[in-house]
Amino acid sequence: MRFRGKLVDTACIQHFSRVLGTIAKLCKTCVLRITADKLYFILLEKVVSGGTHTWCEVTQSHFFDEFMLDGLSKEDNEIFLELVPENLLRAMKTAQVAKWIKIKLTKKHTPCLTVEVDLPTAIGLSRNVVHYISVTVLPKRLWSDYEEPEMPEFDVSIALPALKLLRNVVDKMKSMSSYVIISANHNGEMKLLTETEVALVCTYFKDLANPTWKSGLDAHFFRSPHRSNVDKREFFDVKVDCKKLAQFLNVQQLCPSRVICNLNANHLIHVTLLHDDFSLQYFMPAVVS
Amino acid sequence: MNCIIPGKNIKVFARAIHSLAKIGEELYIEPLENGFAFKTVNSSRSAFGLFLFDPRFFDKYHRPSDNETTFQNDENESPRCKIAMSSCLNIFKSVATIEKTVEKCKISLNMKDDRLVFKMYCRHGIVKTHNLAFIECESLKAVFNSDNCENCLIAPSKMLCEAVIHFQNNQEEVTLVVSSEKISFKNYFEEYDSTKQMITEVKLHLDEFNACDIGINTEITFCLKELRAILSFVEVTNLPVKINFDTPGKPMSYLISSEGMLEATFVLATLAGDNCSNSQVPPSARQSTSQNKTRASCSNKNLNGDESILVEWDDMTMAEVEEMSLVEACASRSQCPAAPKPQPVSKRQQKTVSNGRNQSKMHNRLDKTPDSDEDTNSPVIAVQPCINLLAPNIDTDDEEKQNSDVRKEEEEEEDDIIPGTPPSKKFKSLFFGNSQASEASQKAAPVVLAADTDEDD
């Protein structure tokens, strides 16, 4: 098993650090799946600690100038690593102005992801900084746990407003209550509602788009069997953990081009972030009350 | 004693105080013939810092001549005293603005009230006076000769700063690896947990150094915190740092000097021996290593320990327990310093008595202060409304801080008197002793923190 990648462009380095930063904020440990053309950061949270699920796909060629992979075998040309994203982020943080960064899978005492950074110096010499981040290589029998999640059924799909705005609202609600109810309808309306014993706060968003999925898919995914009969103004609610939602909304630093949220009433929310060179899917189960 | 720091040098001085404050909790002050010395040592006695400001650094530098017997010193030496670092740090709190606001700073001794006086002459004719209580003490020295060191590096400050930022803030120790081919910094873990920590190595080009004189290839491990303290000073002054070091276990020194201005010396303990890392793993893990090896490492460690640096007090002062508190002239304070603890009978008895008197004097003065204008040393009072206007919180803040300082010190003293308390870090290499061994035995187990050398036995 061999893996080596080289980042050269400063913009790529910074963008990759931002992706890592987002991942690191969401969880303590994650699984990095490396394939010939993509990197996947997969976070599977235990049900007791919230049960969220994140699937982040990064197109390798958009970031890496050199990329070499010898996977487990010819048929399974992939590597699954378990690592602490925070460590990788720390290594990248002091390397923002680097001439190049090499990321390699190496074997020290334990398997390591070696991050080699070449920094410029005042007198034109290069300064080498090496970080050894120990990782766990996952055996093939565990790979199936980290397969791409299936698109869940949903009642309504809505394009979210600017995440920064949303985050500000949720941050305020966080201090009031630990839960927030997200509701949306087919009329491009969404609301965030939270309540305490003495107050009820609801934020309304309107004129949002209801993306249409491919016609074939539509029929499959929409739970409501007779869409024509459904009142367009009927709201579907999902009650979720406010802290988790606020934590997730930190992804706004990635400036995604499009964010779509699918709601499965009283069951889960599924948020998809789309960007030129990466995509991120986030699943958050509803809180039963 | 009377000296004046000009406005252009006040920032450097403030930086020096800040740097020392990152190491120790007490500031030792000693006016010498060749300059004004400010020293500190950390609580585990594993790091020592000294700034010696040249007389040319000051507008005016006057130290008492021999016939002015300021202290009842045997040899009529210049006054030596220590003050609480936190109170001194308060005076020079804002490094960023101090240069713009302070025109000059006068440091003098008020013999009448036994106070060390920092007088800041600020713009718009504002004068801030800080009267600091002090404890007279003996000279603090690090016994270390940098000439005997095998290795010497002269490094530009910027490079060192850039090298250090790659380590995490919570990183405690780093290892400096030198050979004739390469020089690198590595982070060092007492107990490496691969799931949480990552190993970082910063490789430096030999050409990046101003000079490299490497006698023996070696790896020495020392505290990053103190190195950061040193770098916080050189970062702004941009002075090259001369690093002298030897083999593991022997102290390393950092020298910073600016011709005709100042000279700074820092001495840091290093971890003894590579093998020593064996003795640092928890007992359960150690059992698996061969007994011989452990023993060898221990003896090695002891050897190293005995011949390493020795911060020496010419005369032990640890037993002298006194309250220190920052006394702002304008602060009306009702809280009393704790009574001095019983002292061992020795030739210091006399001093104790005089100290006792000082304290009562302080009470009297404090009681008087709020409404007595006769006190020539508190010009702040004269313009109190104005001061209040300018810095409305100054009184209350300081007072609170004083209280907390005093409380903190009381706690620390209690900590101090537990004999054999190991230093917070296991820098076993260090052995600090009393130069007058016989006297040391008289003092009730002075907390010369060397007891941990045989911790593993």
Side-chain angles (χ1 to χ4, degrees):
Chain A
M1 254 189 271
R2 289 194 299 169
F3 161 66
R4 192 176 64 225
K6 189 175 174 184
L7 292 150
V8 175
D9 188 62
T10 316
C12 288
I13 292 171
Q14 286 173 355
H15 193 33
F16 194 66
S17 307
R18 269 201 299 275
V19 174
L20 274 172
T22 313
I23 301 293
K25 277 218 180 86
L26 289 174
C27 66
K28 286 236 152 39
T29 57
C30 77
V31 169
L32 171 63
R33 174 184 169 199
I34 306 164
T35 66
D37 51 320
K38 278 188 176 170
L39 297 178
Y40 302 87
F41 292 95
I42 307 157
L43 331 173
L44 274 176
E45 212 176 32
K46 292 219 170 66
V47 178
V48 283
S49 51
T52 64
H53 183 179
T54 309
W55 172 270
C56 178
E57 239 177 88
V58 176
T59 311
Q60 161 277 109
S61 56
H62 285 245
F63 292 91
F64 290 90
D65 267 47
E66 284 171 31
F67 194 86
M68 196 280 292
L69 174 74
D70 268 352
L72 186 67
S73 62
K74 275 223 170 82
E75 299 79 51
D76 301 299
N77 194 17
E78 295 182 14
I79 297 175
F80 279 71
L81 303 172
E82 196 174 60
L83 61 93
V84 180
E86 180 72 26
N87 282 340
L88 194 54
L89 175 68
R90 283 171 180 172
M92 298 287 289
K93 251 186 190 161
T94 54
Q96 296 295 296
V97 291
K99 284 196 271 187
W100 48 257
I101 299 176
K102 276 184 196 160
I103 302 174
K104 292 183 282 193
L105 185 63
T106 54
K107 191 161 172 63
K108 299 287 155 187
H109 300 296
T110 54
C112 277
L113 209 53
T114 301
V115 180
E116 210 178 314
V117 182
D118 190 84
L119 288 164
T121 56
I123 46 170
L125 293 165
S126 63
R127 183 180 303 150
N128 240 318
V129 181
V130 190
H131 304 273
Y132 301 99
I133 302 159
S134 85
V135 294
T136 315
V137 179
L138 293 186
K140 200 184 168 193
R141 64 189 157 83
L142 295 178
W143 288 11
S144 57
D145 294 351
Y146 300 97
E147 270 171 6
E148 180 162 9
E150 276 181 27
M151 181 92 160
E153 288 183 330
F154 55 84
D155 294 305
V156 60
S157 174
I158 196 154
L160 290 182
L163 287 186
K164 202 169 180 179
L165 179 70
L166 213 53
R167 197 188 63 164
N168 284 341
V169 173
V170 174
D171 271 348
K172 300 284 183 302
M173 290 182 165
K174 195 171 65 178
S175 54
M176 288 181 61
S177 159
S178 40
Y179 302 106
V180 60
I181 297 168
I182 305 176
S183 330
N185 64 12
H186 289 282
N187 197 29
E189 288 170 329
M190 189 182 99
K191 55 186 185 182
L192 291 174
L193 184 142
T194 190
E195 56 185 321
T196 67
E197 280 170 10
V198 292
L200 185 146
V201 178
C202 187
T203 313
Y204 294 86
F205 299 91
K206 55 180 185 180
D207 299 330
L208 304 172
N210 287 108
T212 46
W213 299 78
K214 279 178 211 150
S215 54
L217 287 173
D218 252 14
H220 177 70
F221 287 117
F222 277 113
R223 287 212 304 179
S224 323
H226 309 293
R227 270 188 69 203
S228 48
N229 302 343
V230 172
D231 178 8
K232 273 196 142 193
R233 295 177 180 281
E234 186 197 342
F235 275 99
F236 297 93
D237 300 347
V238 182
K239 187 175 180 181
V240 292
D241 186 310
C242 203
K243 266 198 196 124
K244 287 263 175 230
L245 184 65
Q247 192 186 36
F248 168 72
L249 289 171
N250 276 319
V251 296
Q252 59 95 3
Q253 61 173 330
L254 293 172
C255 311
S257 48
R258 208 148 178 231
V259 189
I260 296 160
C261 178
N262 298 332
L263 296 179
N264 182 336
N266 300 320
H267 191 57
L268 62 75
I269 61 167
H270 168 223
V271 187
T272 312
L273 265 82
L274 296 170
H275 195 279
D276 294 344
D277 33 33
F278 76 91
S279 73
L280 191 147
Q281 291 185 65
Y282 184 76
F283 300 81
M284 181 152 63
V287 180
V288 180
S289 56
Chain B
M1 184 180 79
N2 191 355
C3 66
I4 294 171
I5 306 168
K8 63 179 165 50
N9 286 343
I10 195 95
K11 197 172 179 180
V12 174
F13 186 81
R15 284 281 176 189
I17 298 294
H18 275 260
S19 171
L20 290 176
K22 286 187 179 130
I23 294 176
E25 279 154 9
E26 284 170 333
L27 183 64
Y28 293 77
I29 296 174
E30 196 175 338
L32 300 169
E33 211 165 316
N34 59 340
F36 205 157
F38 291 82
K39 309 171 188 178
T40 195
V41 64
N42 71 349
S43 56
S44 58
R45 317 279 179 225
S46 62
F48 166 84
L50 155 71
F51 276 92
L52 183 68
F53 295 98
D54 196 275
R56 280 170 285 176
F57 180 86
F58 302 93
D59 268 353
K60 182 179 162 195
Y61 182 72
H62 169 78
R63 58 189 284 277
S65 56
D66 288 352
N67 48 15
E68 286 177 59
T69 45
T70 49
F71 284 81
Q72 287 156 358
N73 246 329
D74 300 343
E75 307 107 276
N76 285 344
E77 279 174 9
S78 54
R80 283 180 300 230
C81 59
K82 60 179 178 180
I83 56 174
M85 187 65 87
S86 54
S87 53
C88 189
L89 196 61
N90 267 338
I91 304 174
F92 299 97
K93 208 187 291 170
S94 57
V95 190
T97 55
I98 200 163
E99 201 174 28
K100 285 177 201 140
T101 53
V102 179
E103 281 165 356
K104 61 180 179 178
C105 170
K106 186 172 146 191
I107 305 171
S108 58
L109 263 179
N110 174 0
M111 289 318 296
K112 201 176 101 215
D113 298 313
D114 298 298
R115 287 288 177 279
L116 186 70
V117 184
F118 285 80
K119 235 179 199 180
M120 315 284 269
Y121 295 86
C122 303
R123 285 199 309 183
H124 311 302
I126 298 168
V127 182
K128 291 184 196 166
T129 308
H130 301 264
N131 291 294
L132 270 58
F134 60 81
I135 298 177
E136 60 181 285
C137 65
E138 294 305 322
S139 182
L140 176 71
K141 281 181 209 153
V143 180
F144 174 71
N145 189 355
S146 58
D147 300 338
N148 297 338
C149 281
E150 293 280 352
N151 298 322
C152 173
L153 301 173
I154 299 177
S157 57
K158 193 166 174 243
M159 183 201 69
L160 286 177
C161 295
E162 283 174 359
V164 166
I165 55 162
H166 294 284
F167 299 108
Q168 302 308 308
N169 288 334
N170 57 8
Q171 182 65 45
E172 296 202 7
E173 286 118 25
V174 287
T175 305
L176 173 63
V177 185
V178 292
S179 71
S180 43
E181 291 90 46
K182 69 159 194 178
I183 295 172
S184 65
F185 282 101
K186 270 197 267 189
N187 50 359
Y188 173 88
F189 298 101
E190 270 186 304
E191 282 155 32
Y192 178 61
D193 175 3
S194 64
T195 55
K196 287 189 196 129
Q197 289 136 345
M198 64 174 175
I199 299 168
T200 300
E201 184 176 2
V202 182
K203 293 173 185 164
L204 301 166
H205 231 274
L206 264 68
D207 295 343
E208 284 190 79
F209 290 84
N210 297 355
C212 296
D213 180 15
I214 293 158
I216 42 172
N217 298 351
T218 182
E219 293 188 16
I220 51 162
T221 303
F222 52 95
C223 268
L224 185 57
K225 186 183 155 224
E226 277 86 24
L227 177 60
R228 285 207 167 107
I230 300 165
L231 293 180
S232 74
F233 178 76
V234 291
E235 189 173 24
V236 268
T237 47
N238 222 353
L239 295 166
V241 185
K242 188 176 175 193
I243 311 170
N244 284 302
F245 55 97
D246 218 308
T247 46
K250 292 197 183 159
M252 70 190 304
S253 76
Y254 293 80
L255 297 168
I256 302 145
S257 90
S258 167
E259 193 58 41
M261 288 284 275
L262 62 93
E263 230 173 78
T265 311
F266 294 88
V267 184
L268 264 57
T270 64
L271 274 184
D274 259 339
N275 292 338
C276 189
S277 54
N278 284 338
S279 60
Q280 283 178 352
V281 290
S284 56
R286 204 192 309 149
Q287 281 163 7
S288 60
T289 63
S290 82
Q291 198 63 38
N292 286 340
K293 204 173 170 187
T294 318
R295 202 169 288 150
S297 75
C298 284
S299 61
N300 180 19
K301 188 181 67 201
N302 285 341
L303 257 180
N304 280 329
D306 284 340
E307 63 187 3
S308 310
I309 29 170
L310 200 103
V311 166
E312 82 178 10
W313 283 266
D314 294 344
D315 193 350
M316 205 51 204
T317 55
M318 298 294 287
E320 192 181 311
V321 188
E322 265 245 34
E323 274 312 316
M324 276 201 294
S325 56
L326 177 142
V327 184
E328 287 273 350
C330 53
S332 59
R333 225 165 47 118
S334 57
Q335 156 249 335
C336 308
K341 300 194 181 170
Q343 309 225 336
V345 183
S346 72
K347 66 168 183 176
R348 298 197 61 77
Q349 191 73 45
Q350 199 183 6
K351 269 184 195 169
T352 316
V353 173
S354 72
N355 287 334
R357 200 185 59 222
N358 294 350
Q359 280 201 341
S360 56
K361 240 192 225 172
M362 183 166 77
H363 287 283
N364 292 341
R365 196 169 139 270
L366 280 169
D367 295 338
K368 281 198 300 207
T369 313
D371 46 15
S372 80
D373 280 346
E374 59 175 292
D375 195 340
T376 48
N377 285 299
S378 49
V380 186
I381 291 173
V383 283
Q384 200 163 8
C386 169
I387 290 289
N388 281 338
L389 196 71
L390 288 169
N393 289 330
I394 205 159
D395 293 1
T396 50
D397 272 7
D398 278 344
E399 198 164 288
E400 268 169 35
K401 209 160 273 170
Q402 282 160 26
N403 290 343
S404 70
D405 278 353
V406 168
R407 247 177 279 127
K408 207 166 123 198
E409 247 157 49
E410 273 166 12
E411 279 163 30
E412 274 162 20
E413 275 162 14
E414 270 167 33
D415 286 347
D416 272 354
I417 51 172
I418 300 167
T421 309
S424 59
K425 287 315 297 179
K426 297 178 188 166
F427 274 79
K428 298 169 181 111
S429 63
L430 268 191
F431 181 80
F432 292 103
N434 196 320
S435 58
Q436 289 145 305
S438 60
E439 205 172 327
S441 57
Q442 288 172 19
K443 317 270 156 147
V447 208
V448 188
L449 299 168
D452 62 324
T453 338
D454 45 7
E455 190 185 67
D456 285 326
D457 290 356

